[in-house]
Amino acid sequence: MTEEKRTFVHVYKLFEKFGFDEAFERSAIMELLELKGSGASKFLSKLVQADIIETVSGHGKGKYKFKK
């Protein structure tokens, strides 16, 4: 599987679980996608840079949500 396809599958799984309204953190990504900490961090960075997710304030540090 190519990296692009794997990323798409990961984003789909993440969105299926959390949708637009629920915040998630790195540990949830590690568990759901079976990634190690560094892989989950890289994945989060990739999604933030692609403007797919955004940081959420008021829910503690390191929380993210999908952008609408």
Side-chain angles (χ1 to χ4, degrees):
M1 186 181 306
T2 65
E3 184 180 346
E4 291 84 11
K5 183 168 176 128
R6 186 177 12 234
T7 299
F8 178 81
V9 169
H10 284 345
V11 170
Y12 183 81
K13 284 181 182 177
L14 199 58
F15 186 78
E16 205 172 40
K17 175 140 176 88
F18 297 104
F20 285 119
D21 299 321
E22 196 174 338
F24 53 90
E25 58 192 352
R26 188 178 76 139
S27 61
I29 291 173
M30 290 169 62
E31 185 178 320
L32 180 67
L33 304 178
E34 299 177 2
L35 295 174
K36 292 190 165 125
S38 59
S41 293
K42 287 178 187 174
F43 181 64
L44 281 170
S45 294
K46 188 185 288 189
L47 297 187
V48 169
Q49 286 178 345
D51 213 27
I52 294 171
I53 63 172
E54 60 190 348
T55 56
V56 178
S57 58
H59 291 282
K61 187 178 177 210
K63 302 279 199 242
Y64 301 88
K65 282 174 81 171
F66 280 94
K67 285 185 147 189
K68 289 187 179 179

